[in-house]
Amino acid sequence: MLIGTASPAFAHDRLKSSSPAANAKVTSPETVTLEFSSRMRFAKVVLTGPGDETTKLDAPDEGSTIRAKVPDQLAPGRYQIAWHVASSDGHPISGQIPFTVIADPDSPSPTPESPSPSVSTPASTAEASADPSEAVPPPAATASSAAASEPSGTSGLPGWVWPVGAVVVLAGAGAWLITRRKGTQG
């Protein structure tokens, strides 16, 4: 009987898809779309770009799909979407989606007299850029290489995740104690 009642707890909500997708190479997106397996609430979406510049995106609750408008056109480089939501069962879930913005092929290319490191080949970009976070990785790069370039001692999660997680854990512990006391008194 206990196994039958505990099984729904194993079916947690999850991220089904995203746009941009994980490790995708795209031109500058106008929106970030996150599709979940169930209705989400209290969405927080942060976009981190080259030079660790972060932008909090407005992410209204729209059921199981969250659409956050990107305020400006993104320059070519590596970006990461960090998201945190409360799932339909109240549990917080979060994740990160790395992607790369490439130059728009429809945009005018610079003249040969004024070469720009941002439009050179990936190998020469890494050599020419003074800031390694602005370098576009070679096509064979994977998410593990992005994680390896993260400074040691950081978890890669936004700072607000830890206090929110602590509040959720404390609230769950309090609810458990209250139900346990009611069960022993009855």
Side-chain angles (χ1 to χ4, degrees), residues 50-148:
D52 291 330
E53 183 178 325
T54 60
T55 304
K56 181 180 176 192
L57 303 180
D58 183 27
D61 295 339
E62 298 179 18
S64 63
T65 301
I66 296 169
R67 287 179 185 83
K69 182 163 177 42
V70 176
D72 299 314
Q73 184 164 349
L74 302 178
R78 302 247 333 134
Y79 290 83
Q80 181 166 287
I81 302 163
W83 56 270
H84 181 83
V85 296
S87 66
S88 62
D89 62 1
H91 288 99
I93 58 174
S94 60
Q96 299 174 355
I97 304 164
F99 68 98
T100 302
V101 172
I102 59 174
D104 185 359
D106 295 333
S107 66
S109 54
T111 61
E113 294 80 36
S114 61
S116 171
S118 63
V119 293
S120 58
T121 63
S124 62
T125 301
E127 295 166 3
S129 177
D131 183 0
S133 65
E134 293 177 6
V136 178
T142 62
S144 62
S145 66

Side-chain angles (χ1 to χ4, degrees), residues 23 139 147:
N23 300 313

Side-chain angles (χ1 to χ4, degrees), residues 142-166:
T142 62
S144 62
S145 66
S149 67
E150 217 172 270
S152 62
T154 64
S155 66
L157 295 175
W160 56 265
V161 170
W162 299 110
V164 169

